[in-house]
Amino acid sequence: MAFSGAVVLADLDDYITPSQACVKPVENTGTNSANNTQIRLDDTGGYYEVGHDGVEQKLEKASITLNDCLACSGCITSAESVLVTMQSQHELYKVLEANGMAQAENRPQDHRTIIISISPQSRASIASKYHLTPLQTHKRLLHFFTKLGCHHTFDTSFSRDFSLLESAKEFVRRYRKHDSQKGGVLPMLASACPGWICYAEKTHDYILPHIDSTKSPQQVMGSLVKDYFGGHLGVTPDKIYHVAVMPCYDKKLEASRQDFYNDVYSTRDVDCVITTGEVEKMFSEQGVRITECPESEIPSLFTKAVTSPLDGSAILTGTEGSSSGGYLSYIFRYAAWELFGVPLTLEDIELGQNGVQLRPGRNTDFKEIILNVPDRGPVLKFAASYGFRNIQNLVRKYKTPAGGRVRQRNGGAGAQSEYHFVEVMACPSGCINGGGQLKPDDVAGQEGGPASRGFLAKAEEAYRSVAASGGVQFPEANPAIRTLYEEWLGGEDTPKAKEMLHTKYHAVEKNLSSGLTVKW
């Protein structure tokens, strides 16, 4: 099982646990350790043990399993591992089988409505590997899940419009309060990556006030499905089984958070998360070839699409910015207009014009974008920080001093920082490179092997092709979102909007015992 970069031993300098290096205890087999052996490294990066007689034996790559990681408590707890194992395609199969039995035995009260929500990153990963377009992929997945017995298939690009809008409004509120020295913790850090959230809660609780309170698209869709859509269907939340198809295993942990659990109906907003790789396994298990699968027409419900002027069919629309959701790009443009009256286009953001300055970072997973206003200089400074090497450098900037108080900037609230907003993602290259994404068939070790830059580039290209073919539909221009704000939430800044679209974060008590003391 491959999680995000937080728990995958693929690049040892990409994650540093809070108290110690990641150590896997080695069983003592009782063999004689006095043998004169050496280790040789070949040109391909392979390691060989050279015995005293000159015989070489290739060594297997070190691997860290989920059980190994439990020793240091730095990544995932045993309780969380149980929650993760309870979410897979096999759990979906059980619900489908239970529905079949309920129907056969005439027990309609035991029947559950099954809803699938597909992330655009998962869709792009499947499209790139099987040489399909994202539109073809979405239509074929719709047919596949419907054939299985699922009732509705949605697109989390739709719920991401809520996440983008709410994040942008929260940033503007924080900026204005901070600027007037009346509060407003800056920088605001993106909240859509559960691997990053888990890491912050367990190792850097002082950073939690900086994290955007907006729910991720997965969890916004969970609220939308269980609360709004369930009400329109006339069923209670526990009678809906909601499955999210996501690019990383950490999304399983996110769905399992207590904050997203309904105590009244004993159900979660997202009942099960299956990764892109697990969907690929389902193709094999069901004897389906996605390249030959029929296509179903896309319904407009909870799908980010527009109508084709040619034939009236639905065309997927994209989101600006990175394949991790485009938070930096959208919030930057939104803030530039709301705070300084500067209208920016996508070209301004991408080309660095009209006062926009682009700065490459110290590596490909870090970059800066700055807005300069005449007579005022730089007024907005945003950054994208992907991978735990960059995250480590980021969080050190906000470390609480020994005195216990966060450093102030210009007398205002919040930690001293050169940035106003940071798009933070745990995986190098972002969500398109999530641990649950598809891998090329020829990678070493097959399952779980690292994807090449070329393979990732193809997935990135597939993701961006949606915006190229269907255009970019800004969240505020989505009429369905405006309608839902009124019909579902009673307005944009109501208590229900806060309940359905925002969440809280919790510092996790640290286990200071060393992993080396654990008995195996």
Side-chain angles (χ1 to χ4, degrees):
M1 179 179 290
F3 278 70
S4 74
V7 289
V8 174
L9 187 61
D11 187 356
L12 286 178
D13 63 355
D14 195 43
Y15 176 67
I16 303 173
T17 60
S19 59
Q20 63 185 52
C22 192
V23 177
K24 178 177 180 178
V26 179
E27 181 183 4
N28 187 346
T29 59
T31 57
N32 185 1
S33 61
N35 291 335
N36 183 19
T37 61
Q38 295 179 334
I39 302 297
R40 182 179 71 83
L41 177 65
D42 67 12
D43 295 336
T44 65
Y47 289 87
Y48 294 82
E49 181 181 26
V50 184
H52 66 279
D53 55 358
V55 177
E56 295 185 356
Q57 180 180 359
K58 187 172 183 179
L59 300 175
E60 297 295 328
K61 290 184 178 180
S63 63
I64 297 296
T65 67
L66 189 57
N67 288 331
D68 297 325
C69 287
L70 301 181
C72 73
S73 300
C75 302
I76 184 170
T77 66
S78 56
E80 288 169 336
S81 71
V82 173
L83 293 172
V84 167
T85 57
M86 290 172 60
Q87 300 184 55
S88 70
Q89 73 271 29
H90 301 294
E91 296 304 311
L92 173 58
Y93 291 152
K94 290 178 183 178
V95 176
L96 289 165
E97 182 180 359
N99 270 0
M101 293 181 62
Q103 184 176 3
E105 297 172 4
N106 195 25
R107 292 183 285 106
Q109 70 277 9
D110 295 330
H111 188 271
R112 301 172 76 179
T113 300
I114 302 175
I115 295 174
I116 309 293
S117 296
I118 301 173
S119 72
Q121 294 87 0
S122 295
R123 187 172 60 202
S125 185
I126 295 172
S128 65
K129 180 170 182 177
Y130 291 99
H131 309 290
L132 302 169
T133 67
L135 181 60
Q136 289 174 324
T137 303
H138 195 94
K139 289 182 174 182
R140 295 179 190 204
L141 289 174
L142 175 58
H143 176 87
F144 173 72
F145 284 116
T146 302
K147 191 78 172 178
L148 275 181
C150 303
H151 302 93
H152 302 277
T153 299
F154 300 147
D155 173 15
T156 60
S157 296
F158 180 89
S159 54
R160 185 171 58 194
D161 278 356
F162 275 115
S163 296
L164 290 170
L165 275 169
E166 291 296 312
S167 294
K169 289 188 293 183
E170 179 171 344
F171 173 77
V172 168
R173 286 194 297 267
R174 288 190 185 213
Y175 190 98
R176 284 172 172 159
K177 286 184 178 180
H178 186 276
D179 200 42
S180 63
Q181 301 183 13
K182 294 181 180 179
V185 179
L186 290 178
M188 189 174 87
L189 308 177
S191 60
C193 172
W196 147 244
I197 296 300
C198 182
Y199 171 73
E201 289 184 323
K202 291 182 177 181
T203 66
H204 299 292
D205 54 6
Y206 58 84
I207 209 74
L208 299 184
H210 294 269
I211 300 178
D212 178 12
S213 69
T214 307
K215 291 181 181 179
S216 71
Q218 170 182 291
Q219 295 309 134
V220 171
M221 183 63 83
S223 297
L224 186 61
V225 163
K226 290 292 182 93
D227 188 79
Y228 176 80
F229 191 58
H232 274 256
L233 293 178
V235 298
T236 55
D238 57 314
K239 295 302 179 182
I240 294 178
Y241 190 76
H242 183 204
V243 180
V245 177
M246 288 288 145
C248 85
Y249 286 91
D250 294 334
K251 285 292 183 180
K252 298 174 187 275
L253 293 179
E254 180 181 35
S256 303
R257 290 175 67 91
Q258 188 62 32
D259 304 84
F260 307 135
Y261 185 80
N262 187 322
D263 293 310
V264 177
Y265 293 99
S266 301
T267 185
R268 295 194 295 265
D269 294 338
V270 179
D271 297 283
C272 180
V273 174
I274 55 179
T275 64
T276 319
E278 288 169 328
V279 172
E280 186 179 43
K281 289 180 182 178
M282 292 179 70
F283 297 154
S284 177
E285 292 164 352
Q286 299 300 317
V288 170
R289 292 187 177 183
I290 191 66
T291 54
E292 301 173 1
C293 188
E295 297 179 4
S296 297
E297 285 303 313
I298 301 176
S300 60
L301 185 64
F302 302 153
T303 300
K304 196 170 173 67
V306 294
T307 302
S308 168
L310 298 178
D311 57 9
S313 62
I315 301 176
L316 298 174
T317 60
T319 301
E320 64 182 295
S322 71
S323 56
S324 295
Y327 288 86
L328 182 149
S329 179
Y330 180 75
I331 297 174
F332 190 85
R333 285 196 317 100
Y334 185 96
W337 173 251
E338 290 291 327
L339 295 171
F340 306 105
V342 177
L344 296 176
T345 65
L346 294 182
E347 289 75 17
D348 295 333
I349 299 291
E350 294 172 354
L351 301 178
Q353 56 192 26
N354 194 20
V356 176
Q357 179 184 1
L358 305 178
R359 284 186 185 174
R362 50 189 168 267
N363 54 62
T364 57
D365 282 319
F366 191 92
K367 66 178 182 181
E368 298 176 353
I369 178 171
I370 303 166
L371 177 65
N372 293 285
V373 174
D375 301 325
R376 296 193 59 175
V379 292
L380 289 177
K381 189 171 184 181
F382 283 28
S385 180
Y386 293 177
F388 277 95
R389 282 178 295 181
N390 291 322
I391 289 176
Q392 284 285 338
N393 291 328
L394 177 71
V395 296
R396 288 192 189 104
K397 297 177 184 292
Y398 316 118
K399 181 74 175 180
T400 305
R405 297 186 62 187
V406 177
R407 291 174 292 179
Q408 304 292 304
R409 179 181 63 178
N410 299 331
Q416 183 178 12
S417 170
E418 55 184 324
Y419 303 115
H420 297 105
F421 174 83
V422 185
E423 183 180 276
V424 187
M425 299 291 161
C427 292
S429 300
C431 295
I432 203 69
N433 188 34
Q437 292 284 69
L438 302 190
K439 304 295 188 293
D441 292 330
D442 58 349
V443 297
Q446 296 295 319
E447 183 180 352
S452 67
R453 288 190 179 274
F455 189 80
L456 287 178
K458 284 182 60 180
E460 180 81 20
E461 182 182 357
Y463 179 93
R464 292 183 179 273
S465 69
V466 174
S469 60
V472 172
Q473 184 186 54
F474 300 127
E476 64 270 22
N478 188 340
I481 296 296
R482 295 199 301 269
T483 299
L484 285 168
Y485 264 117
E486 295 303 320
E487 288 188 3
W488 176 35
L489 303 172
E492 293 192 10
D493 297 304
T494 62
K496 185 165 186 179
K498 185 175 182 180
E499 176 188 0
M500 293 290 122
L501 304 178
H502 291 261
T503 186
K504 296 179 181 179
Y505 308 106
H506 317 279
V508 177
E509 183 178 353
K510 298 176 179 63
N511 182 358
L512 300 179
S513 63
S514 170
L516 298 176
T517 64
V518 177
K519 294 184 178 180
W520 293 76

